[in-house]
Each structure stands twice: as structure tokens, then as C-alpha cells.
Amino acid sequence: MSTSKKIFAINGSHRSEKGFTQIVLNRFLKGAASAHAYCEVLYPSRKKIIACESCGKCLFEAPGVCKFNDDMGSIIEKIEEADMLVFASPVYFDSMPSNMKKMIDRLRVTLDAFFEFREGRTYHLKSIKKKQKVILIFTAGNPERESFVSISRVFNRILDNMGWELEGEFHFPASHLLVADPELLSTQLEAVTMSGQQLVAEGKINKNVIELANREYIDDPEMILRHMTQMILKMREDNK
Ligand SMILES: Cc1cc2nc3c(=O)[nH]c(=O)nc-3n(C[C@H](O)[C@H](O)[C@H](O)COP(=O)(O)O)c2cc1C
């Protein structure tokens, strides 16, 4: 039997593997694979995931059972089997893409119906099998890091509710630079790869490496916006 760690990554981008988010995710998985992890990526936008209707079946009728028979059953199995999880997502209106949110809402079925009050907050009693470590990867079009405040808070609360443990979070603003000027971000991207390697090989990521991955690469947000305007105008011209 293989003893390699299983990493289950979920990329919420509606552009799936063609998007900017995948570029950062690939760097992380490259590092994890170099430490012999088995990595799998799921794109919620490619799966059949029906939105939770809050019908109450999993609460009041059949705990742990959802009335829908779609791809969520196998997704939950993969989440539960994994040793580590990665949630990679673009920022959409300061939040996550709708298919990612649909998937997360459906995780409600994995939680106990009953609650407890702990440190000023209400939590579902735990029913998730493992307390996996989680990596969060976010990309945003805007150049300022403020773009990540809202999505980061939401995901951190999701982790809290699910009983998962945050191991590292990576933010990549002005995401077009991942394609337009990868050299500018090379230190940050190498640190993301190193994080993947460290997490699998050592079970944790060095804080300095996380800091390096999140090191600022934009001196002048307004200049980036001017570049973005030029880019859009050129693309419109080319598409005429
Ligand atoms: C519907 C939609 C909403 C967006 N909202 C924001 C936003 O609120 N803030 C931001 O900085 N970028 C926003 N963006 C830009 C994306 O976050 C950015 O381009 C991201 O890197 C796309 O990742 P992907 O190529 O992996 O899909 C939005 C993009 C879309 C399609």
C-alpha cells in the first residue's frame, strides 16, 4: 500500500485549469509532488453540484444523508480521504465563485445537526472525520491586497466551522502579472513551491517561506491599473 500523502485541491475558478489561479496552484502542487505526494485537482465548475435547498433532510430526517444524488457524494469522499486540502480561488466580488460556494454549502451534510458554544461562537458539533491541514490560495485582478480581506475571512470561518486547520495562505493580486510578467513574481512563486514541498516532507510550512510567498510585488497600484487599461484597449483592438 502506498504511504504517499494525498492532497486534494479544489480550484474554484470558472476558467478551471486555464485561469491564473491554476498557475499558483500548480506551483504548490509541483512542490508537493516533489516530496512524493499524490495530488488531485477538482474543478467545481466542471461537476454536477446542485445548490443546497436547505430542505432539512440531513438535519431532521437522515443525518449525514443528502437528498441529491449528484457529484457531491464523491467530492465529500475525496475530502475525507485526503491528508491535506487546498482551496484555490479567484476573488469574485470580494467573495468566491458561485460553483465553489455551492460546493461548500453542500458540506453542511458532513456536520452534526447539534451545536455547542465555544469561545463566544456557535459551532456544529464535530462530525468530520479528520482535522486536515488546509492551504488557501487566492488570486485577484485588483492590485491592492485589500481585495483578499473579505474572501480570506470567509474561508477562515469555513475552516473553523469544518474543524480544519489553516497551514498557509497565499495571495496573488494583479493576477494578470502571473502571465504578463512571471519574472516579477518568481521569488513568490518559488516560495509557494517550497511551501508545497515543506508541507508534505515536514508536515508544516516555515513561516518565513509563507511570508516570502506573500511578499509585495506591486510598488505602484495606479501604474498597474494604467497597464491594465492599455492591455484591455489592445485586446479590444486585436479582437476587432
Ligand atoms: C465575476 C468576476 C468578479 C470579479 N471580482 C473581483 C473582485 O471583486 N476583486 C478583484 O480584485 N478581482 C475580481 N475579479 C478578477 C479575478 O479575481 C481575477 O482575474 C482572478 O485572478 C481570476 O482567476 P482565474 O483566472 O483563475 O479565474 C473578478 C472576476 C470575475 C470573473
Side-chain angles (χ1 to χ4, degrees):
M1 205 177 81
S2 164
T3 54
S4 62
K5 295 275 182 217
K6 277 190 207 159
I7 297 193
F8 187 51
I10 298 164
N11 179 354
S13 167
H14 288 185
R15 299 204 298 155
S16 304
E17 76 279 85
K18 294 196 180 75
F20 298 133
T21 311
Q22 186 73 30
I23 296 173
V24 186
L25 177 58
N26 280 345
R27 294 299 187 109
F28 183 84
L29 297 179
K30 182 178 160 196
S34 75
H36 311 293
Y38 170 77
C39 306
E40 186 175 346
V41 185
L42 177 111
Y43 305 98
S45 57
R46 296 246 179 88
K47 294 288 167 186
K48 185 178 176 207
I49 302 172
I50 302 166
C52 173
E53 285 183 358
S54 190
C55 67
K57 175 171 174 168
C58 66
L59 287 182
F60 310 117
E61 204 184 310
V65 180
C66 180
K67 73 170 181 179
F68 293 127
N69 184 15
D70 57 9
D71 289 332
M72 265 321 281
S74 66
I75 293 173
I76 290 171
E77 256 172 44
K78 285 187 185 295
I79 288 176
E80 290 185 337
E81 274 168 23
D83 297 298
M84 298 155 194
L85 301 168
V86 182
F87 289 93
S89 180
V91 174
Y92 278 12
F93 281 95
D94 286 283
S95 185
M96 71 186 85
S98 50
N99 288 322
M100 183 77 136
K101 184 64 166 64
K102 257 198 309 190
M103 192 206 78
I104 285 169
D105 287 348
R106 291 282 302 283
L107 295 178
R108 174 69 184 74
V109 71
T110 67
L111 295 173
D112 196 288
F114 299 100
F115 300 97
E116 64 177 334
F117 198 69
R118 230 182 321 122
E119 294 158 12
R121 269 204 65 198
T122 302
Y123 292 90
H124 286 278
L125 289 173
K126 293 277 144 29
S127 58
I128 194 94
K129 316 279 181 296
K130 291 186 201 163
K131 185 176 178 164
Q132 288 112 320
K133 289 197 171 188
V134 175
I135 299 298
L136 297 175
I137 295 172
F138 301 130
T139 68
N142 297 350
E144 66 279 4
R145 283 180 188 262
E146 202 273 337
S147 312
F148 301 103
V149 170
S150 172
I151 193 170
S152 170
R153 180 161 168 75
V154 169
F155 265 95
N156 274 280
R157 292 298 284 258
I158 292 163
L159 263 55
D160 223 12
N161 288 320
M162 292 298 294
W164 292 327
E165 187 187 338
L166 179 71
E167 179 61 25
E169 194 170 332
F170 305 112
H171 296 174
F172 281 80
S175 53
H176 70 284
L177 294 173
L178 287 158
V179 172
D181 193 0
E183 200 45 46
L184 178 72
L185 293 75
S186 60
T187 303
Q188 289 79 353
L189 290 170
E190 273 162 32
V192 170
T193 304
M194 208 184 297
S195 299
Q197 195 274 337
Q198 280 186 359
L199 181 62
V200 177
E202 296 162 33
K204 57 183 170 42
I205 308 171
N206 186 305
K207 281 202 168 53
N208 296 334
V209 175
I210 295 178
E211 261 176 43
L212 200 57
N214 287 309
R215 185 192 274 179
E216 190 53 81
Y217 50 84
I218 295 167
D219 298 331
D220 181 355
E222 288 183 79
M223 191 182 79
I224 298 285
L225 291 186
R226 283 196 294 278
H227 279 163
M228 283 162 77
T229 308
Q230 292 303 320
M231 235 172 48
I232 293 164
L233 289 172
K234 183 174 180 318
M235 280 163 86
R236 284 199 179 162
E237 199 55 41
D238 292 349
N239 282 320
K240 262 188 191 159

